[in-house]
Amino acid sequence: MPKNKFQDVIFTIIMASLMVYGMVAYNIVLNTGSLQNWVFGAVFHEWPIMTLIAIALELVFVGKLAMKVAFRLVNPREAGPTQIMLAISAASVWIMCPCMSFFATLLFKDSYNAQFFAIWVQTTVMNFPMALMWQFFFAGPVTRRIFGAIFREKNAEAAPAAQADRG
């Protein structure tokens, strides 16, 4: 997990990229009615702008709020690392899904009429279960694996230095 602001930004970029990719693909499938090979490439039409929006939301607003919500769900002094991680992930999806669905509705759905609110709510409701499962079972684990691989050297170098200081 991130230990400083730089690592937090890197973690956020990886997580947002994976979450947005999966959710844009999911929404294309919902709109077309089937998953076909072309969907995996079509994602890149919406992916750049939605990823930038997700990164900005996470770094400015969602990250801090999700931590507050998560620590109301679990006590960090009593809960194990898996419970804490799941609480943070759930809180992040709970806050991010309506936000990202709002921007997707605004930018990519035919919602420039009196039905904007209804389309946004429907988009949020349709996206939430998939976002939660995508976060728990794919984007979260893959992000943590990639992040761990990137920052393994720094952590491995810091551990012997810390042991030498103690000893």
Side-chain angles (χ1 to χ4, degrees):
M1 297 306 289
K3 305 244 186 282
N4 56 50
K5 191 62 178 172
F6 173 74
Q7 288 184 2
D8 185 45
V9 170
I10 299 301
F11 187 88
T12 298
I13 290 169
I14 298 166
M15 180 68 77
S17 297
L18 291 174
M19 283 299 296
V20 169
Y21 185 89
M23 293 309 298
V24 170
Y26 175 70
N27 277 276
I28 292 171
V29 169
L30 286 179
N31 290 337
T32 61
S34 68
L35 177 60
Q36 298 178 25
N37 290 336
W38 63 266
V39 170
F40 298 104
V43 167
F44 293 105
H45 173 72
E46 297 176 19
W47 181 82
I49 186 67
M50 294 303 286
T51 299
L52 290 175
I53 292 168
I55 291 167
L57 283 171
E58 176 66 24
L59 293 174
V60 172
F61 160 68
V62 174
K64 294 172 189 163
L65 184 57
M67 294 292 273
K68 288 180 183 178
V69 169
F71 292 140
R72 286 183 174 215
L73 297 173
V74 297
N75 183 339
R77 293 183 189 110
E78 296 173 5
T82 301
Q83 288 175 309
I84 293 170
M85 179 269 306
L86 289 173
I88 293 169
S89 294
S92 294
V93 170
W94 180 64
I95 299 164
M96 189 68 90
C97 186
C99 294
M100 293 301 292
S101 295
F102 175 85
F103 285 103
T105 301
L106 185 66
L107 296 172
F108 301 109
K109 298 198 177 223
D110 185 24
S111 59
Y112 298 106
N113 56 42
Q115 297 303 313
F116 179 87
F117 182 76
I119 294 168
W120 170 53
V121 169
Q122 179 181 357
T123 301
T124 301
V125 169
M126 296 294 289
N127 282 339
F128 187 81
M130 181 61 176
L132 195 61
M133 294 301 105
W134 186 250
Q135 168 61 240
F136 282 170
F137 297 114
F138 183 81
V142 171
T143 297
R144 286 186 292 279
R145 174 76 48 106
I146 293 169
F147 182 82
I150 291 170
F151 290 100
R152 180 177 305 145
E153 292 179 52
K154 291 182 181 180
N155 292 340
E157 291 170 8
Q163 288 176 351
D165 289 342
R166 286 187 219 146

